Amino acid sequence: MRGRFITFEGIEGCGKSTQHRLLADHLLARGLRVLLTREPGGTPLGEALRAILLDPASSPTPMAELLILEAARAQHVSTLIAPALARGEWVLSDRFADASLAYQGAARGLGLDTVAALNAMVCGATRPDRTLVLDLDVELALERARRRASTTASNRRFEDEDLAFHRTVAEAYRALSAREPERVRTVDASGTPDEVLARVLAAVEDLL
Ligand code: TMP
């Protein structure tokens, strides 16, 4: 039987990476086979492209940025995600195609149609069964992300964008959830990691 494909989305600092790991631990404890991965990344090529994408010295144009992300995604889908799903595994990805709709389509202004067309070409039939959008107050989330960035210096190119950029991303995720309510679920990301995990589990329970 084909596995399940769950993706985590949200703005920087929303806590999605923590929930990504906690859900994996939960599924492993239930005896399921789980593949944890992320975008951009997940493959050697994807991780190399991630380093280029996040490097403040890169300064790609919005279209160049989108194509780098789609190249990483093409490799990710074909060599990692689709084979794992075919083996019956649960694939949990920290971000996927919806991130390009929200960041490049909405916030960078490339338009949802352009991004959706590329996503369709690159992903084919590999679509998430469920997408969890972790929803947290934008200012609170950014403060968290920036506190973390000052210690790990990981992702300044996106985190240093202004508040309006991140509000546009959050709004785009809400619109995706309104358009595809069955697949895209908004999860309240306030509270402790365990409180949020309980909401995450409720949002995937029907897939178990
Ligand atoms: P991360 O913060 O989840 O590690 O993701 C790295 C950055 O990449 C994040 O700031 C959002 C950005 N990103 C996009 O802009 N578009 C995409 O399609 C993906 C997957 C990530």
Side-chain angles (χ1 to χ4, degrees), residues 12 16 39-40 50 69 73 95 99-100 103-104 155 158:
E12 276 76 14
K16 69 183 164 44
E39 286 207 348
R50 179 187 181 92
L69 286 156
R73 183 164 300 133
R95 295 196 188 282
S100 295
Y103 282 82
Q104 282 67 47
N155 181 16
F158 287 94

Side-chain angles (χ1 to χ4, degrees), residues 27-84:
L27 296 175
L28 286 166
R30 292 177 69 134
L32 295 163
R33 282 174 302 145
V34 177
L35 175 73
L36 268 175
T37 187
R38 68 172 180 179
E39 286 207 348
T43 65
L45 176 62
E47 292 294 331
L49 291 172
R50 179 187 181 92
I52 291 171
L53 189 88
L54 298 183
D55 181 353
S58 293
S59 308
T61 66
M63 183 54 84
E65 182 175 275
L66 174 63
L67 294 173
I68 292 168
L69 286 156
E70 295 291 357
R73 183 164 300 133
Q75 190 78 4
H76 196 203
V77 167
S78 299
T79 68
L80 202 67
I81 299 175

